């Protein structure tokens, strides 16, 4: 695995860098347990179709637009684990 690189792609790049550091720590046997708190701190992302931060979206009140945006962000986060 390559050294994590900070690009200027917004918060999803920050998420990728955190996942990379976690993977490196596991591969180096520096730890066997990783805890990442990602979602709550995500600001508005550069993901197309997103115009609010994650925390705001997590309080949906069953608003269809917030649910749609939350689905997009959470799908993007899960895709990073692939």
């Amino acid at each position: 695995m390559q050294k994590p690189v900070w690009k200027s792609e917004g918060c999803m790049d920050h998420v990728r860098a955190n996942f990379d550091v976690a993977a490196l720590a596991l591969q180096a046997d520096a730890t066997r347990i990783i805890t990442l708190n990602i979602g709550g701190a995500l600001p508005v992302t550069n993901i197309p179709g997103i115009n609010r931060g994650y925390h705001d979206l997590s309080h949906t009140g069953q608003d269809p637009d917030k649910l749609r945006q939350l689905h997009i962000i959470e799908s993007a986060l899960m895709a990073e684990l692939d």
Side-chain angles (χ1 to χ4, degrees), residues 8-70:
S8 59
E9 297 177 17
C11 70
M12 286 306 292
D13 188 54
H14 183 78
V15 168
R16 286 182 203 108
N18 276 292
F19 286 161
D20 287 346
V21 168
L24 287 171
L26 291 168
Q27 289 172 357
D29 203 24
T31 187
R32 296 196 177 164
I33 298 172
I34 298 290
T35 302
L36 296 171
N37 180 5
I38 302 289
L42 286 179
V44 176
T45 72
N46 62 340
I47 300 171
I50 305 302
N51 61 13
R52 297 175 183 213
Y54 184 91
H55 183 84
D56 178 35
L57 293 172
S58 70
H59 297 281
T60 65
Q62 300 305 310
D63 178 311
D65 187 54
K66 283 187 172 184
L67 287 169
R68 179 190 62 76
Q69 290 187 57
L70 191 60

